[in-house]
Amino acid sequence: MTLKIVKYGDPVLQKEGEEITNIDGELAKFVDEMFGTMYTAKGVGLAAPQVALSKKLFVMDVSSGKDKQDKLVVINPQIVETKGKIVSEEGCLSFPGIYFEVERPEIVTVQAIDINGKEYTFEASGLAARCVLHEKEHIDGHVFIEHLSPLKRDLIKRKINKKIKLGEWE
Ligand code: CO
C-alpha cells in the first residue's frame, strides 16, 4: 500500500512530531509502507509528518534500493555532531517540482533508535548527511524553504500558489 504524501500547506508539516515510545509490529508495517511510498515517489528520504503521522520518525535510502546498508529507519534521532559546510541543490516530496540550493553541514553524526528498538549511532556525509538534516527538520515541524531569505521564500510561495490554482498541488 502506498501512503498519501501531504504537500506544503498541510498543518501537519509545521507541527513538531511526538517522540515514539512504542515500537511494535504495527509501526514496523507502517515503516514498510513509508519505504514503499518513498521508492514509488523516487525520493531518498521520507519523514512521518509527510504521510500525516506527527511522530519523530523518518526513513531514508540514498542508494534508492541498491544498497541494503543505506536503508535506514531513524526513530527519535539526536544530531550529535556536525562538520563542515556545503551548498547543494535540494528538493522535497512535499514540494513537488521545487528545487533550490541549501547550505548544510557536510558530515553529521546521529544517534537514533532502529525498528527493533535498538539504539545506534551513525555518521553520514554527502547526500546522506543532507537527507538526515532535511528529514530531521520535518520531524521537528520545519520545512526546507525556511532556509531561504524572505524574498526568495515569497517567490517560492507565489510559485506554489500558482500551482494550487492550476490544480497541480494535490
Ligand atoms: Co522534505
Side-chain angles (χ1 to χ4, degrees):
M1 197 186 107
T2 310
L3 304 162
K4 183 178 157 47
I5 298 174
V6 302
K7 308 281 192 297
Y8 175 67
D10 190 308
V12 71
L13 291 176
Q14 282 158 296
K15 189 177 153 199
E16 186 179 354
E18 286 171 21
E19 293 253 328
I20 288 185
T21 51
N22 192 24
I23 298 167
D24 55 14
E26 203 182 316
L27 188 74
K29 187 174 165 268
F30 190 78
V31 160
D32 275 347
E33 289 175 352
M34 282 179 72
F35 274 115
T37 305
M38 181 185 81
Y39 291 134
T40 302
K42 301 200 182 318
V44 292
L46 183 69
Q50 292 183 278
V51 285
L53 181 73
S54 191
K55 298 249 163 131
K56 292 198 190 295
L57 155 73
F58 65 81
V59 298
M60 59 183 275
D61 183 354
V62 293
S63 80
S64 303
K66 288 184 200 88
D67 189 345
K68 271 198 174 140
Q69 282 197 326
D70 286 331
K71 193 176 173 184
L72 295 172
V73 179
V74 184
I75 298 170
N76 300 342
Q78 300 284 340
I79 306 293
V80 180
E81 197 186 1
T82 60
K83 281 183 222 154
K85 262 184 184 145
I86 189 163
V87 175
S88 191
E89 196 177 67
E90 205 167 301
C92 178
L93 293 176
S94 295
F95 291 76
I98 298 199
Y99 302 89
F100 52 87
E101 291 192 324
V102 181
E103 184 186 281
R104 294 196 186 269
E106 203 173 356
I107 300 170
V108 57
T109 307
V110 190
Q111 197 175 65
I113 297 169
D114 69 15
I115 198 60
N116 301 308
K118 210 176 140 219
E119 200 174 283
Y120 71 113
T121 302
F122 67 100
E123 190 183 89
S125 62
L127 179 60
R130 180 162 296 275
C131 185
V132 164
L133 293 160
H134 178 114
E135 303 312 330
K136 173 77 165 73
E137 283 176 359
H138 273 306
I139 63 172
D140 289 336
H142 296 286
V143 286
F144 77 146
I145 59 167
E146 291 171 38
H147 287 272
L148 293 170
S149 67
L151 192 76
K152 283 185 184 163
R153 210 182 307 163
D154 246 40
L155 281 173
I156 298 268
K157 282 184 181 170
R158 254 182 269 165
K159 206 170 160 182
I160 292 171
N161 282 334
K162 215 181 267 176
K163 283 175 182 272
I164 291 170
K165 275 191 196 133
L166 292 168
E168 290 170 3
W169 204 251
E170 261 319 302

